[in-house]
Amino acid sequence: VDQEQAITVATNVVRIAILALALFSGLKLIAVAAINGGAEILWPMAGYWQSRRLTREVTPRLANFSRALLVGMVRPSLGFLGIQVAATLMMGVDNLVIGYALGAAAVTAYAVPLRLTMMPMGLLSVAVNAINPSVTVNYAQGSSQSIARGYLFSLRISTLYATAGAIALWVIGPQFLRVWAGAGVFPGRQAYALMVMFFMMLVMIMPASSILWATTRHYRWAVLALAEGVANLGLSLWGVRHFGLSGVIGATVATSLMMTFWYLPYGALRTLDLSIAKAARELAPGFAMSAAALVAVAIAWRPHLDASLLYASVWGTVAIVAYAIAFAWIGFSRSQRQSAVDWIAASRRQGSPA
């Protein structure tokens, strides 16, 4: 897994460097599309080459063809394909809807802030992808209890991460956008608040989606996700004409709440034989702490919405640190805090030179 992540990072670095060189050289959209397409081909080729260095058994051979294996892979593969198609319908058509209804200028005011709110997802995605193989192995071996403990712990981490990210995006994000992209590149406070809310929703369901993905219990998820994508497209076309940019992101939030946002945690709990009541009791203190922190920050920051980036950065950092300390004492048990300290100490010892 670490080698796969390293290949992905290296490919992205090379892609960005070549894109910058192409744009500075005056090349246009066709070159950009070719570079992005080439990067999508490069990383699987690099992954295959590295896999062959680890073992020659990955080389395709006709003698190893198994019809039974192929048939067994069709159903789960179609489920994963459905989820990916649904993700495109949820996130990939918004710009087309906005451009069609409001014009190209509105696309920038929507796409750039949305990209900013989705950027913190990258770090958490790498961590979740890294533990997926372990979830698969433990589930195949019948170790559902250990997965359940890890799932509840990861929900606490997701709550902490989502709330800290929301505070940073709400306090620092608009000021950063003004400096980075210009004063006009902003969708309005209502639309931006919905973007931050959607970011929190995605983070909160990431552990559950990881459980269903790694255990191949994703078939109902795929059906609901496709229905969600189609509903989002229709609702976005209606919402953009009545509410502008808020109608587009509002449609995404609403359809997610109706379809997958509630099902993914429910499906994960059923997969792991965890009761909703037990999970609610364990997670309630952290949820309450995060809700209180969000309300407090929203009220306290309201008079400073037009502050400078420096002031917002200092204010936001102080708020995040205070929240994180409070959450560590309220959202985690003593044993979990000690486990985290032990893990950090062990990581530092392993990383230190001999």
Side-chain angles (χ1 to χ4, degrees), residues 8-9 29 54 72 75 80 93 105 107 141 165 167 174 178 210 220 224 232-233 239 243 262 266 273 304 316 326 349:
T8 302
V9 171
L29 289 179
L54 297 174
R75 185 169 178 249
F80 290 132
V93 300
V107 173
Q141 294 176 346
I167 293 172
R178 279 198 283 267
S210 175
R220 291 183 181 178
L224 280 173
N232 173 64
L233 177 58
F243 305 103
W262 68 268
Y266 172 74
D273 293 324
H304 310 287
R349 286 195 298 268

Side-chain angles (χ1 to χ4, degrees), residues 9-230:
V9 171
T11 303
N12 283 330
V13 170
V14 172
R15 178 179 62 85
I16 293 170
I18 296 176
L19 276 174
L21 181 62
L23 292 173
F24 281 124
S25 300
L27 299 178
K28 303 299 182 182
L29 289 179
I30 294 179
V32 171
I35 293 168
N36 284 325
E40 292 300 315
I41 298 173
L42 175 62
W43 78 260
M45 290 179 60
Y48 175 70
W49 177 77
Q50 182 61 20
S51 299
R52 285 204 61 185
R53 291 187 61 190
L54 297 174
T55 172
R56 294 287 179 179
E57 295 301 317
V58 301
T59 303
R61 294 186 180 91
L62 189 59
N64 292 337
F65 175 77
S66 169
R67 182 181 178 84
L69 181 61
L70 177 62
V71 171
M73 292 177 63
V74 169
R75 185 169 178 249
S77 297
L78 287 175
F80 290 132
L81 176 62
I83 293 171
Q84 291 173 333
V85 171
T88 300
L89 290 173
M90 284 297 294
M91 301 291 295
V93 300
D94 285 354
N95 291 339
L96 297 177
V97 171
I98 294 169
Y100 167 74
L102 302 178
V107 173
T108 302
Y110 181 90
V112 175
L114 183 63
R115 178 65 176 172
L116 175 67
T117 58
M118 294 297 109
M119 284 175 63
M121 293 283 295
L123 179 62
L124 193 61
S125 296
V126 170
V128 170
N129 290 335
I131 65 173
N132 276 350
S134 298
V135 174
T136 302
V137 170
N138 282 306
Y139 184 76
Q141 294 176 346
S143 303
S144 293
Q145 290 186 349
S146 63
I147 303 176
R149 289 192 297 270
Y151 174 59
L152 292 176
F153 183 77
S154 65
L155 281 175
R156 290 179 169 91
I157 296 294
S158 293
T159 304
L160 172 62
Y161 190 86
T163 306
I167 293 172
L169 289 170
W170 185 250
V171 174
I172 306 173
Q175 281 72 14
F176 176 76
L177 281 171
R178 279 198 283 267
V179 174
W180 177 43
V185 184
F186 192 70
R189 281 282 169 182
Q190 184 178 24
Y192 186 72
L194 288 169
M195 291 179 182
V196 175
M197 180 180 176
F198 189 56
F199 156 76
M200 292 191 68
M201 292 168 60
L202 290 178
V203 173
M204 293 299 297
I205 63 174
M206 191 174 287
S209 64
S210 175
I211 295 295
L212 297 185
W213 188 281
T215 60
T216 61
R217 300 287 296 272
H218 61 293
Y219 303 112
R220 291 183 181 178
W221 173 20
V223 173
L224 280 173
L226 284 171
E228 177 183 339
V230 173

